[in-house]
Amino acid sequence: MAIDTGATAWILASTALVMLMTPAVGFFYGGLVRRKNLISMITLSFVAFALVSIQWVLVGYSLAFGNDPANSLNGFIGNLQYMGLNNVGMDPGAYSKDIPGLLFMVFQLVFATVTMAIVTSGFAERIKFSAYLVFALLWTTIVYDPLAHWVWGGGWAAQFGALDFAGGTVVHISSGFAALALALVIGKRVGFGKYSMEPNNIPLTILGAALLWFGWFGFNAGSALGANGLAAQAFVTTNTAAAAGAIAWLLVSWMYGKPSSLGLVSGAIAGLVAITPAAGYVTPMAAILIGAIGGVICYGILLFRMKKGLDESLDAWAIHGMGGLWGALATGIFAVAAVNGASGLLEGNVHQFVANAAGAFAAVIYAFVVTYILAVIVDKTIGLRVTEEEEYVGLDISQHGERC
Amino acid sequence: MAIDTGATAWILASTALVMLMTPAVGFFYGGLVRRKNLISMITLSFVAFALVSIQWVLVGYSLAFGNDPANSLNGFIGNLQYMGLNNVGMDPGAYSKDIPGLLFMVFQLVFATVTMAIVTSGFAERIKFSAYLVFALLWTTIVYDPLAHWVWGGGWAAQFGALDFAGGTVVHISSGFAALALALVIGKRVGFGKYSMEPNNIPLTILGAALLWFGWFGFNAGSALGANGLAAQAFVTTNTAAAAGAIAWLLVSWMYGKPSSLGLVSGAIAGLVAITPAAGYVTPMAAILIGAIGGVICYGILLFRMKKGLDESLDAWAIHGMGGLWGALATGIFAVAAVNGASGLLEGNVHQFVANAAGAFAAVIYAFVVTYILAVIVDKTIGLRVTEEEEYVGLDISQHGERC
Amino acid sequence: MAIDTGATAWILASTALVMLMTPAVGFFYGGLVRRKNLISMITLSFVAFALVSIQWVLVGYSLAFGNDPANSLNGFIGNLQYMGLNNVGMDPGAYSKDIPGLLFMVFQLVFATVTMAIVTSGFAERIKFSAYLVFALLWTTIVYDPLAHWVWGGGWAAQFGALDFAGGTVVHISSGFAALALALVIGKRVGFGKYSMEPNNIPLTILGAALLWFGWFGFNAGSALGANGLAAQAFVTTNTAAAAGAIAWLLVSWMYGKPSSLGLVSGAIAGLVAITPAAGYVTPMAAILIGAIGGVICYGILLFRMKKGLDESLDAWAIHGMGGLWGALATGIFAVAAVNGASGLLEGNVHQFVANAAGAFAAVIYAFVVTYILAVIVDKTIGLRVTEEEEYVGLDISQHGERC
Amino acid sequence: MKMVKAIIKPERFEFVKKALEEKGFNGMTITDVKGRGEQKGITLEYRGGQMIVDLLPKIQLEIVVRDSDVDMLITALTDSARTGKIGDGKIFVIPVEKSIRIRTGETET
Amino acid sequence: MKMVKAIIKPERFEFVKKALEEKGFNGMTITDVKGRGEQKGITLEYRGGQMIVDLLPKIQLEIVVRDSDVDMLITALTDSARTGKIGDGKIFVIPVEKSIRIRTGETET
Amino acid sequence: MKMVKAIIKPERFEFVKKALEEKGFNGMTITDVKGRGEQKGITLEYRGGQMIVDLLPKIQLEIVVRDSDVDMLITALTDSARTGKIGDGKIFVIPVEKSIRIRTGETET
Ligand SMILES: Nc1ncnc2c1ncn2[C@@H]1O[C@H](COP(=O)(O)OP(=O)(O)O)[C@@H](O)[C@H]1O
Ligand SMILES: Nc1ncnc2c1ncn2[C@@H]1O[C@H](COP(=O)(O)OP(=O)(O)O)[C@@H](O)[C@H]1O
Ligand SMILES: Nc1ncnc2c1ncn2[C@@H]1O[C@H](COP(=O)(O)OP(=O)(O)O)[C@@H](O)[C@H]1O
């Protein structure tokens, strides 16, 4: 096996693109919170990047991509063969015949970091910083790493045939439902529902969205692991679904009010999430449907969340969680053999739909339940939430001693 | 024909780079308007991206790059052979022997979107959002797609031998003169010329400019459609002309006032626009001249526009329109055979200069006239402009229900 | 020698990535100064990019990478063989067997520009703009170009065997110690130490940091000059050291106060600086150490600087200068033959450590002394510093006639 | 006439505005301010130490009314702005000698 | 002495400043405020429904002058700030008992 | 009661705050304003020409105190805010008829 320099060039670039998504999540979220928590929100994402970067090279990569241990954890999590990047080198590796093993590793790393960043939606404006550090390490190890193993590391979902091109299940379902669990455990922000908490900086949120869309090309088209027709296919479906999601959300929300810029960018993210698992399996025309339906579904879920008075207000659950769920099902529906050899429901392959549904719902349950338990444990021991005074003055000052 | 993975890697990356230019135009413009229209301005670009992305995969690409129909539209516009991306696939295509056909398609897509975004200069701070959506769909279909066909899709300008390496005519002349026509049809902002309307966020504009410069490497060097010497050549001429334009504008404007940051970045954009058609045909030393003269010309046109009291105040016309015109002529002057086989006026090839001038002036007239007509039609039917009250409170609130 | 399209694709992308670092330095610094100097600070970086871009294609590249002249300057500076990019073409060149010579040239160009931008820390909020233009041209020619020649252009340091993978010495030591010299010559800001001068826009600084981290992948992994295992190795060590630096600074500074976002991003930059010379020579596990120690050292130096009342307040010296010094030594310590053929102290190669220390200290002295002299000359002739009134109203208004 | 100047918590502003509207007080001028009262702000525990956060963001309303309306206005303000916690704010009443409507030149005293 | 407090449209500010300068009024303190008058802001038609935009941005000038200058100042202000449309703003005159120049300690009453 | 309104240089604010605290003045409301005095701002030389920068940023403190405390407060303010240079700022004293604590309804006159 020799390295293909073109493939390597594209995955190097893709990794850089995906890396940018983690701070982009911070900017996206940061613009949505109140000004007194802006720095906090951006910092949570930035810290996620640093922390998971270290965890991943030490153990995370091995847990996700190591061989299945010959014990009861078989199919559930990898062994420690790659601990400290042992046996991960400059030559092609087990998962990458065209690119260096180290490059595959770091490409996966940036997926793990952005997932952690998305999760921070769940405790926005009320998390204790020290508790966050502990929780993040636990979560990425106990929730993310096994999920990645199931789907991409040769675990049970892969064996079962669930398709997840670029991480709809591993990244989006897991982070979205984790955010939901967290929001339930940590409780509403003081005053939520009583007075309005307007976004402090919508242009910053749009900047975050633009960088997310930009980075997503690395995320999805990079997941082809080559510079080839499949990468181009995934690139096109990604862009198309994002555009369709943006427009769908814009139009649907227009019926209930003004066509807002936040609706537009939320729709784009919804479209991007929905196409993620499907990007390399469907046609661009199907991508229009997947994206547009994704936009409409996520908008509906958002309305539902607001009606229920649920304070998961940056909507990781509505957009990433439910959008990811839709995407997983849509992959099972719209996959066509002509694109990448796999057929979905529309080509009569019921098994594919079932496999994808099973994988997705297992992830929903695992992510929700385990996150819930972890959150309760951290809450009972260190305490997840800041004091009421700290929340009142804001996390920027109370947690970081900074103002903006 | 087999895919070259290196070329594919570079065009994948280039497409992502160019994609970023569309929101970058939004940030550039957004910083220049009044605070009450900041979100609106960014949103216009973002919507342009979404809308044109869908239009392009449905019909735009085919109109631009389809074969000439055997009727009176021959040479003017492509047929519908690629509608819905029919026949555009993962293998190399008619326009791309080294990269997947789909990749060529999406690389062209991001050019179409950024062109639409540039046009929004013409009705800044006074456009009705619903009218914009309709206008944008019409404009990209009726103005952009034919122009792209003329120059790149085998239309008459290509047959006539006009050189346009990366879109000086198709992107910049067309958008710049369209903005001029729009500004004339929609009329001045209330109070224009009576009281000052200062930029609300210069750092945001500089951020936009930085991202534009960054993305322009994909725009110009990507237009080599390969990872080769020509791409490197275009990369170098691009950067050099941008730098020369920035410094030229800075110095010339210094004679009339302070050396402003806006002058600096405007000069950079002017240089980038000017080199766009020439990037793959001229030497780096010629690029210094092209960029510097571009900076000076555009600055002069801007002064002229201000003196005339013309409210095309984000200066798409002065910079993109006139800079693009200069670039088209400059390509006909400075092209040297040693770079890419084509000689310009300085190497005695009068025909090249004539062809380029003809192509450019045809585009000027077509873009201006057709845009003018479209604008009048939309104005008479839906109404282009918001009410005076809406303009007074700002488009952010009146069109999008948002504040920043 | 034929071009490798994969390598070319990656270096094209890397050059674009590194280009973005220059404005990123502007945003990073801009957020840290007072609001009245925000535009000025960003503009200094932007101008650095434009100015050095022209200088480099005219003479800088030749001075740095031209052959050694057969006179007393032998080993010190290159000749003028590449003046005006003479003999630098689309084919592979003397320094680049896989990529076009022009591409190597422009990849080096973006290093020269970012170095100049880093230097602007030294006279933040008090430099006269006209003096800056003159100084910048002198500095890049007389300080940067020779240093680049020593280390990369076949000069004495290269001959002596000093390792500098991506520019720890040439870029970071030189700019950091130049900033120190400048701060000493130009003197403290009025009121420094008497009243607090708080950062005006921390999110902007974090944005700058995010873009720097992003661009640094091009900086370090691009320095492999190929799309290969070494690039992947450098990519991984870079990311790992950055993360380790960020966390180390966060934790150490927590002992003395709150864990601030500025500490986090400063630590990341410190880690990135420290790994720069080592990126292609060490293992990821060593990168954790190099980054973490880098974070701690730079934090300590920053405290020291503050205690001494030294107004080099954007800390180019503490982070780039001292971080670069640590990185140069660390390369001499941690290099392992298995990665890239070179052994450091830990593998018993004392010579490597000595060579690296010699190269680094020579650069420290050269950069500091020559910058000091240049600064004094410019100060005595044109005057480096604005008047007290200009400083009071801020450089945005007084130098650029702009407000934000 | 009097200028009633109220400094309130930002999160109460919506309630206050509504309460005033109901009583027919429409005209008002709003300023973002920072303030602290006698308590000198909020004290946070912090790794053993303490940290005082003062100068918290507040919203200042200035409302010019006839003398006869002052008491009703004050009642409406206190009722709607009160949370019962520290930092609820202050109201100051300042004499106004004259008020002119720019559009019409109309003057009231 | 009196403090003349004028709340005007931002777009009139340049004219007002110039008009005041001409009359020799140099000292002033400017604040960005938001406000609404009796009309409760601007009503926009909106897909059948209506939307009221109140609390529009205004600029507030505070100018302290001798009693004898008040009338001249008010005339200068109203003349330069007036557009004749809703939202032109208000002027309030407030008594000032004392004014101190910090630099010199000079006091006027 | 009086409202003492001081417009000072931003860079003196920390000193002023500290000086007031020492004298027991805790309550205050702070606003970011811009201002110019009789000197009409700062004049910069500029390539032969001149440029006047007026409306420089200032910080405005409003402090309501009992009549008997006014003089002490003014002394504390002038002493701590003074640099001796142009632009040091101004203090205005305005009568306050009533002051109400929202939390408790407590009224002082
Ligand atoms: N003496 C005063 N002068 C001016 N403003 C005051 C005074 N006292 C209080 N304020 C304003 O009222 C706000 C609320 O005061 P208060 O309820 O006493 O706050 P705290 O919770 O800090 O005691 C302060 O933030 C300040 O803006
Ligand atoms: N009674 C009042 N008290 C305080 N400020 C007022 C009052 N009435 C008007 N203002 C201020 O004057 C501004 C202009 O008032 P006006 O011209 O009546 O505006 P509008 O067009 O809303 O009626 C308002 O935005 C507000 O800031
Ligand atoms: N007559 C006035 N009315 C209102 N505010 C004033 C007046 N004169 C001065 N000020 C305020 O006091 C500040 C400082 O004034 P001063 O020290 O005279 O400044 P300058 O240096 O411009 O003369 C001004 O910026 C302004 O905010």
Side-chain angles (χ1 to χ4, degrees):
Chain A
M1 290 188 304
I3 283 175
D4 176 314
T5 61
T8 301
W10 172 234
I11 306 307
L12 286 164
S14 290
T15 308
L17 287 173
V18 182
M19 175 267 158
L20 200 54
M21 294 173 72
T22 301
V25 168
F27 300 130
F28 189 89
Y29 285 172
L32 294 174
V33 298
R34 287 165 294 172
R35 190 167 180 78
K36 63 185 177 183
N37 298 310
L38 168 52
I39 293 175
S40 154
M41 211 65 229
I42 303 177
T43 303
L44 293 181
S45 282
F46 212 99
V47 166
F49 194 80
L51 217 56
V52 176
S53 281
I54 299 295
Q55 186 271 359
W56 191 254
V57 299
L58 292 179
V59 299
Y61 178 65
S62 198
L63 295 178
F65 289 92
N67 289 337
D68 281 284
N71 59 25
S72 62
L73 290 172
N74 190 304
F76 178 76
I77 197 158
N79 67 16
L80 295 177
Q81 73 189 116
Y82 299 132
M83 211 170 75
L85 300 188
N86 210 6
N87 300 314
V88 186
M90 293 191 250
D91 292 323
Y95 290 90
S96 57
K97 60 180 190 20
D98 294 333
I99 64 171
L102 272 170
L103 181 54
F104 178 78
M105 184 285 299
V106 73
F107 183 61
Q108 292 299 333
L109 180 154
V110 287
F111 281 62
T113 61
V114 74
T115 308
M116 191 69 239
I118 297 168
V119 169
T120 63
S121 165
F123 38 50
E125 313 198 62
R126 51 211 193 275
I127 184 74
K128 194 156 80 182
F129 186 62
S130 55
Y132 169 63
L133 296 182
V134 173
F135 174 81
L137 276 178
L138 290 173
W139 192 88
T140 197
T141 307
I142 298 176
V143 179
Y144 185 83
D145 295 345
L147 276 172
H149 186 75
W150 297 2
V151 179
W152 293 325
W156 71 265
Q159 289 160 25
F160 195 63
L163 296 177
D164 186 1
F165 190 71
T169 300
V170 180
V171 173
H172 298 292
I173 291 183
S174 72
S175 58
F177 281 87
L180 179 64
L182 279 165
L184 293 174
V185 175
I186 201 170
K188 297 175 194 186
R189 288 167 294 169
V190 172
F192 176 74
K194 294 211 202 98
Y195 48 89
S196 80
M197 300 173 171
E198 297 205 342
N200 80 87
N201 194 335
I202 290 178
L204 187 66
T205 294
I206 303 181
L207 173 65
L211 293 179
L212 283 170
W213 194 326
F214 175 63
W216 225 294
F217 293 127
F219 202 94
N220 285 4
S223 290
L225 293 180
N228 49 30
L230 185 60
Q233 177 84 22
F235 200 113
V236 172
T237 54
T238 298
N239 193 64
T240 305
I247 290 172
W249 188 308
L250 193 80
L251 295 180
V252 175
S253 66
W254 206 333
M255 297 188 209
Y256 298 84
K258 302 236 168 215
S260 68
S261 69
L262 288 182
L264 184 74
V265 298
S266 300
I269 306 294
L272 287 163
V273 168
I275 199 67
T276 293
Y281 298 112
V282 301
T283 65
M285 293 303 112
I288 294 183
L289 276 181
I290 294 174
I293 297 174
V296 174
I297 289 178
C298 293
Y299 176 64
I301 302 285
L302 183 147
L303 292 183
F304 169 81
R305 175 193 66 71
M306 284 170 66
K307 225 179 81 192
K308 288 286 166 203
L310 185 58
D311 190 11
E312 208 287 282
S313 300
L314 308 183
D315 285 305
W317 174 60
I319 296 179
H320 294 274
M322 295 304 286
L325 191 54
W326 157 242
L329 300 179
T331 308
I333 297 170
F334 293 102
V336 291
V339 172
N340 199 1
S343 291
L345 203 56
L346 289 188
E347 289 191 339
N349 183 356
V350 180
H351 171 71
Q352 191 58 62
F353 183 75
V354 173
N356 265 37
F361 283 106
V364 164
I365 292 166
Y366 184 78
F368 184 83
V369 172
V370 179
T371 305
Y372 199 100
I373 295 169
L374 284 181
V376 169
I377 292 173
V378 174
D379 197 31
K380 295 286 180 233
T381 51
I382 321 183
L384 267 182
R385 190 162 180 152
V386 294
T387 66
E388 202 175 321
E389 278 75 29
E390 288 172 326
E391 188 173 341
Y392 185 68
V393 303
L395 305 194
D396 289 4
I397 288 182
S398 71
Q399 304 304 294
H400 305 290
E402 295 176 313
R403 251 187 231 264
C404 72
Chain B
M1 290 187 305
I3 283 175
D4 175 314
T5 60
T8 301
W10 172 233
I11 306 307
L12 286 164
S14 289
T15 307
L17 287 173
V18 181
M19 174 267 158
L20 200 53
M21 293 174 72
T22 300
V25 168
F27 300 130
F28 189 90
Y29 285 171
L32 293 175
V33 297
R34 286 165 294 171
R35 191 168 181 77
K36 63 185 177 183
N37 298 311
L38 168 52
I39 292 175
S40 154
M41 210 64 230
I42 302 179
T43 303
L44 293 181
S45 283
F46 213 99
V47 166
F49 194 80
L51 217 55
V52 177
S53 281
I54 298 296
Q55 186 271 0
W56 191 254
V57 300
L58 291 180
V59 299
Y61 178 65
S62 197
L63 295 178
F65 289 92
N67 289 337
D68 281 283
N71 61 24
S72 62
L73 290 172
N74 190 305
F76 178 77
I77 197 159
N79 67 16
L80 295 177
Q81 72 189 115
Y82 299 132
M83 212 170 76
L85 299 188
N86 209 4
N87 300 313
V88 185
M90 292 191 251
D91 292 323
Y95 291 90
S96 58
K97 58 179 190 24
D98 294 333
I99 64 171
L102 273 170
L103 181 54
F104 178 79
M105 184 286 298
V106 74
F107 183 61
Q108 292 299 334
L109 180 155
V110 288
F111 281 62
T113 61
V114 74
T115 308
M116 192 68 239
I118 296 168
V119 169
T120 63
S121 164
F123 38 51
E125 312 197 63
R126 52 207 191 278
I127 184 75
K128 193 156 81 183
F129 187 62
S130 54
Y132 168 64
L133 296 182
V134 173
F135 175 81
L137 275 178
L138 290 172
W139 192 87
T140 198
T141 308
I142 299 176
V143 180
Y144 185 83
D145 294 345
L147 276 172
H149 186 75
W150 297 2
V151 179
W152 292 326
W156 71 264
Q159 289 159 26
F160 195 63
L163 297 176
D164 185 1
F165 190 72
T169 299
V170 179
V171 173
H172 297 292
I173 289 182
S174 73
S175 59
F177 280 87
L180 179 65
L182 280 165
L184 292 174
V185 174
I186 201 170
K188 298 176 193 184
R189 288 167 294 169
V190 172
F192 176 74
K194 296 212 201 98
Y195 48 89
S196 79
M197 300 174 170
E198 298 205 342
N200 81 86
N201 194 335
I202 292 178
L204 187 66
T205 295
I206 303 181
L207 174 66
L211 294 179
L212 282 170
W213 194 326
F214 175 62
W216 225 293
F217 292 128
F219 202 95
N220 285 4
S223 290
L225 293 180
N228 49 29
L230 185 60
Q233 177 83 21
F235 200 114
V236 172
T237 54
T238 298
N239 192 64
T240 305
I247 290 173
W249 188 309
L250 192 80
L251 294 180
V252 175
S253 67
W254 206 334
M255 296 190 211
Y256 298 84
K258 301 237 168 216
S260 68
S261 70
L262 288 183
L264 184 74
V265 298
S266 301
I269 307 295
L272 288 162
V273 168
I275 200 66
T276 293
Y281 298 111
V282 302
T283 65
M285 293 304 112
I288 295 184
L289 276 180
I290 294 174
I293 296 174
V296 174
I297 289 178
C298 294
Y299 176 64
I301 302 285
L302 182 147
L303 292 183
F304 169 81
R305 175 194 65 72
M306 284 171 66
K307 225 178 80 192
K308 290 286 166 205
L310 185 58
D311 190 12
E312 207 287 282
S313 300
L314 308 184
D315 284 306
W317 174 61
I319 296 179
H320 294 273
M322 295 304 285
L325 192 53
W326 157 242
L329 301 179
T331 307
I333 297 171
F334 293 102
V336 292
V339 171
N340 200 3
S343 291
L345 202 57
L346 290 187
E347 289 191 339
N349 184 355
V350 180
H351 170 72
Q352 191 57 62
F353 182 76
V354 173
N356 265 38
F361 282 106
V364 164
I365 291 165
Y366 184 78
F368 183 84
V369 172
V370 180
T371 306
Y372 198 100
I373 295 170
L374 284 180
V376 169
I377 292 173
V378 174
D379 197 30
K380 296 285 180 233
T381 50
I382 322 182
L384 268 181
R385 190 163 180 151
V386 294
T387 67
E388 201 176 321
E389 277 75 30
E390 288 171 327
E391 187 172 342
Y392 185 69
V393 303
L395 305 193
D396 289 3
I397 288 181
S398 72
Q399 304 302 296
H400 305 291
E402 295 175 312
R403 253 187 230 262
C404 73
Chain C
M1 290 187 305
I3 283 176
D4 175 313
T5 61
T8 300
W10 172 233
I11 306 307
L12 286 164
S14 289
T15 308
L17 288 172
V18 181
M19 175 267 159
L20 200 54
M21 293 174 72
T22 300
V25 168
F27 300 130
F28 188 89
Y29 285 171
L32 293 175
V33 297
R34 287 165 294 172
R35 191 167 180 79
K36 63 184 177 184
N37 298 310
L38 168 53
I39 293 175
S40 153
M41 210 65 228
I42 302 178
T43 303
L44 293 181
S45 283
F46 213 100
V47 166
F49 194 81
L51 216 57
V52 176
S53 281
I54 299 296
Q55 185 270 358
W56 190 255
V57 299
L58 292 179
V59 299
Y61 178 65
S62 197
L63 295 178
F65 289 91
N67 289 337
D68 282 283
N71 60 24
S72 62
L73 290 172
N74 190 303
F76 178 76
I77 198 158
N79 66 17
L80 296 177
Q81 72 190 115
Y82 299 133
M83 212 169 77
L85 300 188
N86 209 5
N87 300 312
V88 185
M90 292 192 250
D91 292 322
Y95 291 89
S96 57
K97 59 180 188 25
D98 294 332
I99 65 171
L102 273 170
L103 181 54
F104 178 78
M105 184 287 298
V106 74
F107 183 61
Q108 292 298 334
L109 180 154
V110 288
F111 281 62
T113 61
V114 73
T115 308
M116 191 69 239
I118 297 168
V119 169
T120 62
S121 164
F123 39 51
E125 312 198 63
R126 50 209 192 277
I127 184 75
K128 193 156 81 184
F129 186 62
S130 55
Y132 168 65
L133 296 182
V134 173
F135 174 80
L137 276 179
L138 290 172
W139 192 87
T140 197
T141 308
I142 299 177
V143 179
Y144 184 84
D145 294 345
L147 276 171
H149 186 75
W150 297 3
V151 177
W152 293 325
W156 71 265
Q159 290 159 27
F160 194 64
L163 297 177
D164 185 1
F165 189 72
T169 299
V170 179
V171 173
H172 297 292
I173 290 183
S174 73
S175 59
F177 280 87
L180 178 65
L182 279 164
L184 292 174
V185 174
I186 201 169
K188 298 176 193 183
R189 288 167 294 169
V190 172
F192 176 74
K194 294 211 202 98
Y195 47 90
S196 79
M197 299 173 171
E198 298 205 342
N200 81 86
N201 193 335
I202 291 178
L204 188 66
T205 294
I206 303 182
L207 174 65
L211 294 179
L212 282 170
W213 194 326
F214 176 61
W216 225 294
F217 293 127
F219 202 94
N220 285 4
S223 290
L225 293 180
N228 49 29
L230 185 59
Q233 177 84 19
F235 200 113
V236 172
T237 54
T238 298
N239 193 64
T240 306
I247 291 172
W249 187 309
L250 193 80
L251 294 180
V252 174
S253 66
W254 207 333
M255 296 190 211
Y256 298 85
K258 301 238 168 213
S260 68
S261 70
L262 288 183
L264 184 74
V265 297
S266 300
I269 307 294
L272 287 163
V273 168
I275 199 67
T276 293
Y281 297 113
V282 301
T283 65
M285 293 303 113
I288 295 184
L289 276 180
I290 294 174
I293 296 175
V296 174
I297 289 178
C298 293
Y299 176 64
I301 301 285
L302 182 147
L303 292 183
F304 169 81
R305 176 193 66 71
M306 285 171 67
K307 226 178 79 190
K308 289 288 166 202
L310 185 59
D311 190 11
E312 208 287 281
S313 299
L314 308 183
D315 285 307
W317 174 59
I319 296 178
H320 295 273
M322 295 303 288
L325 192 54
W326 157 243
L329 300 178
T331 308
I333 297 171
F334 293 102
V336 291
V339 171
N340 199 3
S343 291
L345 202 58
L346 290 187
E347 288 191 340
N349 184 356
V350 180
H351 171 71
Q352 191 57 61
F353 183 74
V354 173
N356 265 36
F361 282 107
V364 164
I365 292 167
Y366 184 78
F368 183 83
V369 172
V370 179
T371 305
Y372 200 100
I373 294 170
L374 284 180
V376 169
I377 291 174
V378 174
D379 197 31
K380 296 285 181 233
T381 50
I382 321 183
L384 268 181
R385 189 162 181 153
V386 294
T387 67
E388 201 174 322
E389 276 74 30
E390 289 171 326
E391 187 172 343
Y392 186 68
V393 303
L395 305 194
D396 289 4
I397 288 181
S398 72
Q399 304 302 295
H400 304 290
E402 296 176 314
R403 253 187 229 262
C404 73
Chain D
M1 306 187 84
K2 305 290 175 214
M3 167 171 293
V4 176
K5 188 169 183 140
I7 295 134
I8 63 166
K9 288 189 172 163
E11 58 267 33
R12 299 304 295 176
F13 178 63
E14 292 166 48
F15 301 92
V16 170
K17 208 177 86 172
K18 200 144 153 260
L20 297 191
E21 253 169 52
E22 277 163 17
K23 301 278 185 219
F25 297 109
N26 291 322
M28 62 172 77
T29 300
I30 302 301
T31 316
D32 289 325
V33 300
K34 288 183 185 149
R36 69 177 197 189
E38 292 312 317
Q39 292 74 9
K40 295 204 211 174
I42 289 180
T43 306
L44 303 177
E45 299 297 323
Y46 159 54
R47 277 206 314 122
Q50 283 193 332
M51 175 193 189
I52 294 176
V53 183
D54 62 357
L55 298 179
L56 294 164
K58 303 275 173 189
I59 284 185
Q60 171 186 294
L61 294 86
E62 289 180 337
I63 305 166
V64 175
V65 292
R66 298 222 177 77
D67 293 14
S68 56
D69 285 340
V70 170
D71 290 337
M72 196 171 77
L73 174 55
I74 289 177
T75 313
L77 278 168
T78 43
D79 287 357
S80 57
R82 181 179 295 146
T83 66
K85 297 214 185 123
I86 279 174
D88 267 0
K90 288 260 194 171
I91 300 174
F92 304 119
V93 180
I94 295 171
V96 170
E97 299 184 350
K98 227 170 118 163
S99 139
I100 298 103
R101 183 177 295 276
I102 291 176
R103 175 158 47 95
T104 56
E106 219 176 308
T107 307
E108 254 188 287
T109 44
Chain E
M1 308 187 84
K2 305 290 176 216
M3 168 170 294
V4 176
K5 186 168 184 140
I7 295 133
I8 63 167
K9 289 189 172 163
E11 57 268 33
R12 300 304 296 174
F13 178 62
E14 292 167 50
F15 301 93
V16 171
K17 208 177 85 172
K18 199 143 153 262
L20 297 190
E21 253 170 53
E22 276 164 17
K23 301 279 186 217
F25 298 108
N26 291 321
M28 62 173 76
T29 300
I30 303 301
T31 317
D32 290 325
V33 300
K34 287 182 186 151
R36 68 176 197 190
E38 292 311 318
Q39 291 77 6
K40 295 205 208 175
I42 290 179
T43 306
L44 303 178
E45 298 298 324
Y46 160 53
R47 277 203 316 121
Q50 284 192 332
M51 174 195 189
I52 295 176
V53 182
D54 63 356
L55 298 179
L56 294 163
K58 304 275 173 188
I59 284 184
Q60 169 186 294
L61 294 85
E62 290 179 336
I63 306 167
V64 175
V65 291
R66 296 222 178 76
D67 293 13
S68 56
D69 286 340
V70 169
D71 289 338
M72 195 170 78
L73 174 55
I74 289 178
T75 314
L77 278 169
T78 42
D79 287 356
S80 57
R82 180 180 296 147
T83 66
K85 297 215 185 119
I86 280 173
D88 268 359
K90 287 259 193 169
I91 301 174
F92 304 120
V93 180
I94 295 169
V96 170
E97 300 183 350
K98 228 168 107 166
S99 139
I100 299 104
R101 183 178 295 276
I102 292 176
R103 174 158 47 95
T104 56
E106 221 176 306
T107 307
E108 253 187 287
T109 44
Chain F
M1 307 187 84
K2 305 290 177 215
M3 167 170 294
V4 176
K5 187 169 183 139
I7 294 134
I8 63 167
K9 288 189 172 163
E11 58 267 34
R12 299 305 296 174
F13 178 62
E14 292 167 48
F15 301 93
V16 171
K17 207 176 88 174
K18 201 146 153 257
L20 296 190
E21 252 170 54
E22 276 164 18
K23 300 279 186 218
F25 297 109
N26 291 321
M28 62 172 77
T29 299
I30 302 300
T31 316
D32 289 325
V33 300
K34 287 181 187 153
R36 68 175 195 190
E38 292 311 318
Q39 291 75 9
K40 295 205 209 174
I42 290 180
T43 307
L44 303 178
E45 299 296 324
Y46 160 53
R47 276 205 316 122
Q50 283 192 332
M51 173 193 190
I52 294 177
V53 184
D54 63 355
L55 298 179
L56 294 164
K58 303 275 172 188
I59 284 184
Q60 170 186 294
L61 295 86
E62 290 180 336
I63 305 166
V64 175
V65 292
R66 298 219 178 78
D67 293 14
S68 55
D69 285 340
V70 170
D71 289 338
M72 195 171 77
L73 174 56
I74 290 178
T75 314
L77 278 168
T78 43
D79 286 357
S80 57
R82 181 179 295 146
T83 67
K85 297 215 185 119
I86 279 173
D88 267 359
K90 286 260 194 169
I91 300 174
F92 304 120
V93 180
I94 295 170
V96 170
E97 299 184 351
K98 228 171 120 166
S99 140
I100 299 104
R101 183 178 296 276
I102 292 176
R103 173 158 48 95
T104 57
E106 218 177 310
T107 307
E108 254 187 289
T109 43

